[in-house]
Amino acid sequence: MNNYIPLNKAIGPKVICDGYQALIPQKLGVDAMTFTFDGSECEHATCPGAPEIFIKVEENGLYYFGIEADDTGSLTIAGEELCKKDGTQPNGKLNIETASRYLKAGYYKVALSCTNNAYDPTSNNAVAFNVTMDKEPIQAGKYEGNSTMKREFSPSPKIKLWTIEKESDIKCEESKEVKLEFESPEIIYSPEIDSCKTNPIPPKICVTVCQDKDENVWKCRVVSASAGAKITIFNDNFMNPLITPPLSEEEAIEAVNEMNGYQARGRVGTWHTPEASVAHEEHHRRQWEDAFNYYWKEMKIQEKLEERTFSCDTYKDMDKVITLMSGYADLASTNLTIATAEYVIQLPDRANDRPYCAGQKVLNEATRKVILLADAMDWKNVPRVVTEPGTIEPSCFLPPVNKEKSRSMAVADQSAPLILSIADTSRFTEGRITACFRNEENEPIRIPDEINDETSDYFFVTVLRTEQGDARILNAKMGNITFQRPLNYRELSPGQEYSVTIPVCLDEVNLEDWKQCSCELETRYYNQQGKDCFLGGLRATAKLVL
């Protein structure tokens, strides 16, 4: 049956799990095993010929999901593993993993799985599994203590599961234009001290198939497409004048001067507000939104997917065609991500650039309140000027997304005095590669000395490709990072080399499937941050034998 069935085409929908209790309530004395849920009469087991299960989406929108498990749990929607809770120690106890996805109204085929590990003694081995679905962010349960039996599930609504007798019609209808929906989840505020981040949510393209009996082929139809970006605001050691106003004229002078200098300084000062950081990161999120929308249309992704057909004589099983088309949709999603990321992370993000101007505009509200305080306290030496924000709109201003002339044309690969190469791939299967910078200029060149396991995904986009056109992005995070402090730099003398080992994420790569392929590893380095250092992009490739 199709991955997606419109509400009006589902014949015989029937609720098989009403969502009143967890799929597996907490229990003790369980052996190691994997439970799956498919609507069969077998308790927590897969039975031959069992019906497929679906979730019902009443209206278009952003939906939130949560997986609670002891030990490992996963949720797959329309062929995409949306959410997986890690069960390796110390994560074996009941706790939660969450995700979100924009869904169009209809029924979506789902797969649920829970794996319980073996522990000794078995009598103390607990199992628990719960899946939540809501239009509001999923609430955490109470996960205190070392015992799963004493922990509590999330209070968010439990998932309802359906079976469907059949789809009323799988004949092809006219294609309808699908717009890319952009997800903007609630901002995450972390008490930790770190740099703020905006990370893209990978695109998800949901496809279904229909049968053209006149042409005797299966055709693809794109049901929906979504992408997004999530923001994490970290703490810092700045003073927030909206919470703790200056207590003296000297403090007020410092606060006004520090906040007025944010835009030109290109980093947070001793006085700042979280609201200004949010405005900065929201600007980055808009860049991702504009770029995703642009490349969705520019690359004609829907058009190219729907051009594909499969012979009904060759492929009599619709599920096989759905699997093939879902694979092409995944590849299209990867290519969309690569094109978007290569554009967004080249947008300048340093002093006086648009993200800082957006932050300055909001920060000025706090500056004005300090000035009002100075007026009330008759602090005459406090500056009464407020920084005029620089250019903010449009958020995407470099070609190709916007044709406006710009100060920086770093979008294209430059002929640069700095050369990048992939120096070592011997540890690729361990998730590590080594990139090498070499200064070919007659003068010293500076680069940010900030590349490590935590930050490398914000400087590099690394992709594994085959000659057949398959591709995987090997960045675990990717996105924009906003350093809250001055950057450290490394100066390369003429002819000097500098190597850095960076992680590559192999979570989505089954290396066994790639061993028979001719593979190319490509990594692109981008930097638009910092002062008096190399700004722009570099590209390196290497043949890879797995």
Side-chain angles (χ1 to χ4, degrees):
M1 208 172 295
N2 266 323
N3 276 340
Y4 166 82
I5 299 175
L7 293 175
N8 62 352
K9 287 195 172 186
I11 293 178
K14 177 184 176 182
V15 176
I16 59 169
C17 178
D18 54 22
Y20 289 130
Q21 65 177 2
L23 295 170
I24 303 180
Q26 292 137 304
K27 61 173 69 174
L28 282 173
V30 182
D31 291 326
M33 62 185 69
T34 295
F35 306 113
T36 58
F37 301 79
D38 52 20
S40 69
E41 295 181 359
C42 306
E43 183 185 15
H44 313 317
T46 300
C47 299
E52 298 161 318
I53 58 173
F54 295 79
I55 56 171
K56 183 180 182 181
V57 175
E58 300 280 1
E59 59 182 22
N60 299 358
L62 181 63
Y63 288 82
Y64 296 86
F65 297 87
I67 291 286
E68 295 172 289
D70 179 351
D71 296 296
T72 301
S74 68
L75 167 65
T76 297
I77 299 178
E80 175 204 16
E81 186 177 77
L82 179 66
C83 191
K84 184 173 183 179
K85 186 258 176 180
D86 181 13
T88 57
Q89 293 292 351
N91 301 312
K93 301 180 184 67
L94 177 67
N95 47 43
I96 195 168
E97 191 70 31
T98 61
S100 62
R101 179 64 67 211
Y102 178 89
L103 297 174
K104 181 181 175 181
Y107 291 92
Y108 290 82
K109 188 188 298 184
V110 299
L112 301 166
S113 177
C114 175
T115 299
N116 189 56
N117 298 333
Y119 297 101
D120 187 33
T122 302
S123 59
N124 291 333
N125 196 21
V127 66
F129 186 52
N130 185 43
V131 184
T132 48
M133 174 180 175
D134 198 6
K135 294 208 71 175
E136 301 294 330
I138 301 300
Q139 302 176 55
K142 294 182 179 179
Y143 310 121
E144 299 172 358
N146 292 325
S147 171
T148 286
M149 301 305 292
K150 294 183 179 180
R151 297 187 172 198
E152 297 180 15
F153 287 123
S154 164
S156 294
K158 293 174 173 53
I159 199 167
K160 291 184 179 181
L161 301 176
W162 299 67
T163 60
I164 294 173
E165 183 179 324
K166 65 179 182 178
E167 187 177 358
S168 65
D169 188 7
I170 58 172
K171 293 180 181 178
C172 285
E173 297 178 354
E174 288 297 318
S175 174
K176 297 179 181 178
E177 180 184 359
V178 172
K179 294 183 178 180
L180 184 80
E181 301 290 340
F182 191 80
E183 301 175 19
S184 299
E186 290 189 355
I187 294 171
I188 299 170
Y189 291 90
S190 173
E192 299 177 5
I193 296 177
D194 201 349
S195 301
C196 295
K197 299 177 177 70
T198 300
N199 299 99
I201 299 172
K204 170 57 182 172
I205 304 171
C206 182
V207 295
T208 187
V209 299
C210 55
Q211 192 175 32
D212 189 324
K213 293 185 177 180
D214 293 334
E215 297 183 21
N216 196 34
V217 294
W218 295 100
K219 291 184 176 180
C220 171
R221 290 290 181 263
V222 175
V223 175
S224 63
S226 65
K230 56 186 178 182
I231 294 172
T232 305
I233 301 295
F234 287 90
N235 198 2
D236 203 354
N237 291 321
F238 58 75
M239 297 287 291
N240 183 351
L242 302 179
I243 302 298
T244 308
L247 298 177
S248 66
E249 184 174 25
E250 289 73 19
E251 283 192 352
I253 293 171
E254 180 188 48
V256 170
N257 287 335
E258 281 289 304
M259 291 189 290
N260 273 333
Y262 167 73
Q263 176 178 291
R265 185 172 56 245
R267 61 178 175 83
V268 170
T270 54
W271 292 83
H272 192 70
T273 68
E275 291 80 6
S277 294
V278 167
H280 181 115
E281 299 307 320
E282 285 286 11
H283 192 86
H284 283 314
R285 176 142 69 181
R286 288 182 50 220
Q287 290 173 340
W288 283 99
E289 181 175 8
D290 289 355
F292 268 127
N293 280 319
Y294 174 85
Y295 283 107
W296 169 256
K297 296 177 182 178
E298 176 70 13
M299 297 172 71
K300 299 181 179 179
I301 290 175
Q302 179 182 359
E303 179 182 321
K304 291 179 179 179
L305 284 174
E306 295 188 351
E307 286 176 353
R308 292 189 177 274
T309 61
F310 298 87
S311 167
C312 293
D313 293 333
T314 304
Y315 297 97
K316 301 183 184 300
D317 183 0
M318 184 175 66
D319 287 343
K320 176 63 175 177
V321 181
I322 290 174
T323 299
L324 290 171
M325 277 311 312
S326 295
Y328 286 117
D330 290 343
L331 179 57
S333 296
T334 297
N335 291 333
L336 174 59
T337 301
I338 294 171
T340 303
E342 288 182 348
Y343 171 76
V344 171
I345 63 178
Q346 291 180 92
L347 292 168
D349 187 20
R350 53 191 186 274
N352 292 314
D353 285 322
R354 299 182 190 208
Y356 284 97
C357 296
Q360 185 71 61
K361 182 178 180 180
V362 171
L363 189 59
N364 286 347
E365 299 172 11
T367 306
R368 292 188 182 95
K369 290 191 176 182
V370 173
I371 292 173
L372 288 175
L373 175 64
D375 290 340
M377 301 298 292
D378 197 29
W379 292 338
K380 300 184 182 301
N381 293 322
V382 175
R384 264 55 177 184
V385 297
V386 178
T387 296
E388 181 68 25
T391 302
I392 299 174
E393 302 297 336
S395 56
C396 285
F397 65 99
L398 298 180
V401 178
N402 190 288
K403 304 302 183 184
E404 174 189 339
K405 293 182 180 179
S406 62
R407 292 180 287 109
S408 171
M409 296 298 292
V411 155
D413 284 336
Q414 300 177 358
S415 176
L418 194 62
I419 303 300
L420 179 70
S421 63
I422 298 176
D424 186 6
T425 61
S426 62
R427 298 177 59 197
F428 178 79
T429 57
E430 302 173 22
R432 316 285 290 181
I433 63 171
T434 299
C436 178
F437 297 91
R438 178 179 173 83
N439 181 7
E440 296 286 343
E441 185 59 270
N442 294 323
E443 301 291 333
I445 297 177
R446 292 207 312 172
I447 60 173
D449 194 14
E450 299 281 357
I451 303 171
N452 53 47
D453 283 7
E454 295 299 317
T455 65
S456 63
D457 282 348
Y458 301 96
F459 287 100
F460 286 89
V461 174
T462 305
V463 182
L464 181 64
R465 303 180 191 274
T466 68
E467 291 181 350
Q468 291 72 30
D470 199 3
R472 292 291 185 275
I473 299 175
L474 303 182
N475 293 66
K477 302 168 189 172
M478 202 159 49
N480 304 86
I481 183 169
T482 306
F483 290 95
Q484 309 278 42
R485 53 173 174 72
L487 271 67
N488 296 309
Y489 298 95
R490 175 181 294 268
E491 185 172 279
L492 301 181
S493 303
Q496 185 178 358
E497 294 183 349
Y498 167 59
S499 295
V500 56
T501 299
I502 62 175
V504 289
C505 180
L506 302 179
D507 291 351
E508 301 298 324
V509 181
N510 185 341
L511 295 180
E512 290 297 322
D513 294 340
W514 290 67
K515 285 184 176 180
Q516 306 303 319
C517 303
S518 177
C519 301
E520 181 181 78
L521 188 66
E522 174 186 296
T523 190
R524 289 175 179 256
Y525 167 83
Y526 299 103
N527 177 48
Q528 296 298 344
Q529 303 185 80
K531 184 178 181 181
D532 299 329
C533 64
F534 176 81
L535 300 172
L538 303 169
R539 176 176 177 268
T541 61
K543 290 292 183 181
L544 191 64
V545 178
L546 295 175

